[in-house]
Structure formats: C-alpha cells, structure tokens
Amino acid sequence: MQVVVLTGDGSAYGMGLSATSAAIDRGLDFIYLCYDNEGYGNTGQQFSAATPHAARTATSTGSFGYPGFKKDLFSIWVANRPAYAATVIGSEPLDLARKLEKASKLSGPRLILSLAPCPTGWDYDPKDSVEIGRLAVKTGVWPLKEYMDGELVHTKRPRKRAPVEQYLKHQGRFAHLFEPERRGKVLADIQARIDHYWEVVEEREG
Ligand SMILES: Cc1ncc(C[n+]2csc(CCOP(=O)(O)OP(=O)(O)O)c2C)c(N)n1
Ligand SMILES: [Mg+2]
C-alpha cells in the first residue's frame, strides 16, 4: 500500500508537526504532500507558522501585518534525515513532475512541500495564480530544492533575481506595504532576507 498524506500548512507547520516528526523518526513509509497557502485557509485565513513576514491575515491586520517570519519546514524535515524532501510549485510543472516521480520510487518518509498561491487568502484575481507562482520563483521567495542521501541541491536557480516587490505588489495581503504610503524599511528588510538566503546558497553550491 502506498500511503500519501495531503495536508495544509496549518497542520504541517504547526498542529500536526509533532506527530509527523515521530512518523519520520520511525522511518514510516509515506509521501507527505503539503499545500502551503501560508495560512489557516479553511477557517478564514488566520496566520499560521507558514505565513510570511508582513502579510495581512484575518488575525494580523493593521499597517504592519504578520510580525513573525515564515517557519523553514523544509529544513526541519531535513534535520530529521528523511528519505527525500523537495519543494515544488504548480507553475514549474516539469520540476514538480520530476520530483514526484523520484519520490514515488523511494520508500520511507518523503516530503513534497508546495507553495500554493491562494486567490482568497492572498487577495488576488484567480487568473494570476500561475504568474504569482512564477514570480515566487523568479524573485527567489520560493526556492526550488531537493534533499536526498544527506545532500541538498537547488534544482532551479533564478539567474537574475527580480526584486521581491514584483511578487508582493500582485497581492492584496501586502497592499499596506505600498498604500497609503510606501513602507521602504519593511520592503528592504524582506529583500535583504531573500538576498542573504541566496548568498549562502552560492557559497555552498557555487
Ligand atoms: C487539531 C485541530 N485544530 C483545529 C482544527 C480546525 N480546522 C479545520 S481546517 C483548519 C484550517 C487548516 O489550515 P491548513 O492546514 O493550512 O489548510 P488550508 O485550509 O489552508 O488548506 C482548522 C484550523 C482542526 N481540524 N484540528
Ligand atoms: Mg493553509
């Protein structure tokens, strides 16, 4: 029997994390597919541990949005030494298909972590879903990577990263960073964190 867990980020990053950790420790044989729409969508998009810094949610309103920072679930899984772990996104179908195929041939605990653009929760027109997904990769917000046999590799590296503002501007949940006045400090801080992430990748992977 092939066991596949389908879950949201509220569960994967928070409510269900200790049970998942125990399942990995025991080396159970399952694929764990997380649709990460960065909030508790079903109950009205309250913030979760996957919510990015400064995003507006039902429980983080006001001019600054969510004060916390998105939890790095991929690294938490990798620290547990699973059989396989990968990030994917629907707007990069070939990368996604290759990783699913790879995961399906292995056994043991396997993570497929997908950023899932969410028109309702992120406040944008559904027709922009693919574009927002592409921008998440192009700006470096959502790194595509995989882990296997103790090795971590980025599978698609944006050569010339677009400014993160291009991604943020498409979504109503970040509108307060641009209107009524531009929050330059917050925007620079978000950009700096992304830049730092990729600097470390370049040092490690060349
Ligand atoms: C332990 C527990 N607490 C609260 C709930 C109520 N609940 C049902 S769906 C949901 C939102 C889940 O969010 P997420 O896992 O991110 O999935 P999404 O709806 O965003 O796809 C919550 C809090 C629950 N089912 N179980
Ligand atoms: Mg969710």
Side-chain angles (χ1 to χ4, degrees):
M1 185 166 63
Q2 177 81 261
V3 177
V4 179
V5 180
L6 295 178
T7 180
D9 53 283
S11 177
Y13 284 71
M15 293 187 295
L17 185 53
S18 73
T20 311
S21 180
I24 304 169
D25 294 348
R26 285 164 174 73
L28 300 188
D29 188 19
F30 64 105
I31 292 180
Y32 190 89
L33 173 55
C34 173
Y35 288 112
D36 180 359
N37 65 349
E38 305 191 317
Y40 285 93
N42 191 39
T43 43
Q45 197 72 5
Q46 294 83 13
F47 69 75
S48 76
T51 298
H53 186 59
R56 185 194 68 219
T57 70
T59 41
S60 50
T61 52
S63 52
F64 285 97
Y66 179 58
F69 294 88
K70 186 179 178 73
K71 187 189 278 185
D72 184 358
L73 185 69
F74 180 85
S75 293
I76 291 174
W77 263 75
V78 166
N80 281 265
R81 300 186 172 278
Y84 185 71
T87 60
V88 300
I89 192 161
S91 57
E92 296 289 345
L94 293 181
D95 183 77
L96 186 156
R98 194 186 58 73
K99 287 169 175 168
L100 279 178
E101 193 181 7
K102 205 169 195 176
S104 68
K105 287 182 182 145
L106 298 166
S107 58
R110 288 153 286 165
L111 170 70
I112 303 285
L113 181 56
S114 178
L115 186 67
C118 176
T120 316
W122 299 8
D123 188 11
Y124 68 82
D125 192 320
K127 74 173 168 41
D128 294 337
S129 282
V130 174
E131 180 59 15
I132 287 179
R134 286 189 184 134
L135 280 168
V137 175
K138 215 170 133 188
T139 56
V141 165
W142 188 248
L144 293 171
K145 52 190 169 182
E146 67 184 350
Y147 164 90
M148 206 170 77
D149 297 331
E151 238 191 278
L152 172 65
V153 177
H154 283 74
T155 55
K156 189 174 171 116
R157 280 210 247 162
R159 282 291 156 223
K160 200 170 177 301
R161 265 180 289 115
V164 70
E165 278 188 38
Q166 287 185 17
Y167 172 74
L168 304 175
K169 268 195 171 149
H170 264 78
Q171 306 169 46
R173 63 176 175 158
F174 295 112
H176 54 283
L177 300 183
F178 302 98
E179 299 280 341
E181 62 187 28
R182 193 185 149 79
R183 295 202 171 270
K185 165 94 179 62
V186 180
L187 291 167
D189 201 46
I190 294 171
Q191 184 67 61
R193 282 171 185 273
I194 296 169
D195 293 345
H196 176 71
Y197 176 91
W198 288 101
E199 276 160 24
V200 173
V201 171
E202 265 148 44
E203 268 167 35
R204 280 206 195 127
E205 293 177 32

